[in-house]
Amino acid sequence: MEVCNLTRLPEFILLGLSSRPEDQKPLFVLFLILYLVTLMGNLLIILAIRSDPQLQNPMYFFLSILSFADICHTTVIIPKMLVNFLSDTKTISYVECLAQMFFFLLFGNMDSYLLAAMAIDRYVAICNPLHYVTVMNHRCCMSLLVFSIAVPFLHALLHAFLVNRLTFGESNVIHHFFCDVNPVLKLACSSTSVNEVAVMTEGMLSVMAPFVCIIISYLRILTAVLNIPSAAGKCKAFSTCSSHLTVVTVFYGSISYVYFQPLSSYTVKDRIATIIYTVLTPMLNPFIYSLRNKDMKRGLEKLRSRIKSEMDRLSITKTNKIQGP
């Protein structure tokens, strides 16, 4: 048994995705590209929604917040990964580790509740279209947003607090590429039973509650769509939900694989699965929503035209200044 002679380790070592030196630079390039694509894609979604009056509705409001949460989610993890790829020590301080864990849980859980809010929006739009404007009003949207922030905040605070009370032994090597809850718990030499119970009860409830909300919303949507007489009407109704369903499937599929299992069985495969919802899902979201949504395509095209016009105007202004009067 490990000797519990330390209550606070000064730092942890993040083992990362690979310990082979020849893998570090290729991994750095790969994740730098993924990060830049994620930032650019989600920023374009936010700018397109904010600048197009036709996209000023609840569905795109929640999509813009989801894009913001995805930017924050990846920024919590990837920059530190990139530094460690080029570093020999690969260390992270105890405080940094705890902060990374807190913000990862916060923004990751926010994604769940925002996806649930978007499912509610689709349910009202399809099942109660005549009252959509009155039901999904500004107050309702803000209430859903506040709830989507408050619950994840309390969830993240609870798990960060429970980890902070643990005693760690001499081993400080985290077998992961960031400070996730399970890999950190495996280093503790004091009892983690409270943490494990919290993960399997409060953690599961916090993640599964929005998922159940999504399932109920789509069951009602399915019932309503099946009652539509024309095939064209059914296809149109389903098309408004296809992007959202794709994101939900990828997001919850990877989370279920990683977290709903005993702590002792946490392996290297879980590191790979974690990449799906920490890196790939935030990167793919803008593509899923823009490629499968005509309104979003139009909004992005307007944004591109506006940016091009502004650049042309600046270019002409600069030329005129150089030429003089």
Side-chain angles (χ1 to χ4, degrees):
M1 184 176 291
E2 283 186 283
V3 179
C4 295
N5 57 358
L6 293 173
T7 57
R8 289 290 183 276
L9 289 171
E11 60 185 19
F12 292 105
I13 297 173
L14 291 168
L15 194 62
L17 295 174
S18 173
S19 58
R20 296 166 54 188
E22 62 270 24
D23 293 339
Q24 303 308 303
K25 288 184 179 179
L27 285 172
F28 173 85
V29 173
L30 173 62
F31 279 91
L32 177 61
I33 292 172
L34 293 177
Y35 183 53
L36 293 177
V37 171
T38 301
L39 289 182
M40 185 167 293
N42 283 288
L43 280 173
L44 285 174
I45 291 291
I46 294 171
L47 290 173
I49 292 171
R50 296 302 182 190
S51 62
D52 189 348
Q54 291 184 314
L55 297 179
Q56 303 300 310
N57 61 53
M59 176 183 175
Y60 296 108
F61 168 73
F62 289 121
L63 178 56
S64 66
I65 302 298
L66 179 67
S67 292
F68 173 76
D70 283 341
I71 289 173
C72 295
H73 196 198
T74 53
T75 301
V76 167
I77 298 170
I78 298 185
K80 186 61 181 178
M81 282 180 66
L82 296 176
V83 171
N84 285 344
F85 283 140
L86 301 181
S87 172
D88 293 329
T89 56
K90 304 184 186 303
T91 58
I92 183 171
S93 71
Y94 178 86
V95 174
E96 277 185 293
C97 185
L98 207 61
Q100 188 182 60
M101 182 186 298
F102 171 81
F103 286 109
F104 162 74
L105 291 172
L106 170 61
F107 291 115
N109 207 217
M110 265 185 70
D111 278 0
S112 299
Y113 284 87
L114 289 169
L115 289 171
M118 294 171 76
I120 292 171
D121 173 78
R122 290 300 83 205
Y123 160 70
V124 177
I126 294 173
C127 299
N128 199 5
L130 297 178
H131 296 91
Y132 177 76
V133 176
T134 55
V135 174
M136 296 301 296
N137 55 35
H138 178 74
R139 182 177 179 181
C140 177
C141 291
M142 293 309 297
S143 297
L144 287 171
L145 177 59
V146 170
F147 190 78
S148 298
I149 296 173
V151 174
F153 176 83
L154 295 174
H155 166 74
L157 192 64
L158 170 65
H159 289 277
F161 170 77
L162 290 177
V163 169
N164 189 49
R165 58 185 280 278
L166 295 175
T167 301
F168 293 92
E170 295 178 353
S171 175
N172 67 340
V173 179
I174 298 175
H175 293 267
H176 210 357
F177 56 88
F178 72 103
C179 290
D180 201 359
V181 176
N182 284 347
V184 173
L185 291 183
K186 291 185 78 171
L187 298 182
C189 58
S190 57
S191 174
T192 60
S193 58
V194 175
N195 300 72
E196 292 183 55
V197 169
V199 169
M200 297 306 294
T201 55
E202 186 280 335
M204 183 178 290
L205 179 63
S206 181
V207 173
M208 294 307 294
F211 181 67
V212 171
C213 178
I214 293 170
I215 294 297
I216 293 173
S217 296
Y218 273 106
L219 286 175
R220 293 190 173 187
I221 288 172
L222 180 62
T223 302
V225 170
L226 291 177
N227 290 328
I228 297 175
S230 66
K234 291 178 181 178
C235 290
K236 184 178 180 181
F238 275 127
S239 67
T240 64
C241 305
S242 59
S243 300
H244 182 258
L245 275 173
T246 303
V247 173
V248 167
T249 302
V250 174
F251 182 81
Y252 276 100
S254 55
I255 281 184
S256 300
Y257 178 81
V258 174
Y259 291 107
F260 298 153
Q261 59 177 311
L263 176 62
S264 57
S265 65
Y266 200 82
T267 64
V268 68
K269 291 181 180 179
D270 300 303
R271 277 184 264 170
I272 307 302
T274 305
I275 292 175
I276 296 175
Y277 74 90
T278 58
V279 180
L280 294 183
T281 301
M283 184 192 72
L284 292 175
N285 282 355
F287 294 100
I288 293 172
Y289 278 103
S290 59
L291 294 177
R292 299 177 65 88
N293 188 296
K294 292 180 180 179
D295 292 336
M296 202 65 244
K297 284 182 182 179
R298 188 187 64 252
L300 288 170
E301 183 60 31
K302 285 183 179 180
L303 179 63
R304 188 191 69 81
S305 299
R306 191 175 291 112
I307 292 173
K308 185 177 182 298
S309 298
E310 186 64 23
M311 290 180 66
D312 290 342
R313 187 186 66 80
L314 291 173
S315 177
I316 292 172
T317 303
K318 184 178 180 181
T319 303
N320 291 337
K321 284 183 178 180
I322 293 173
Q323 292 176 347

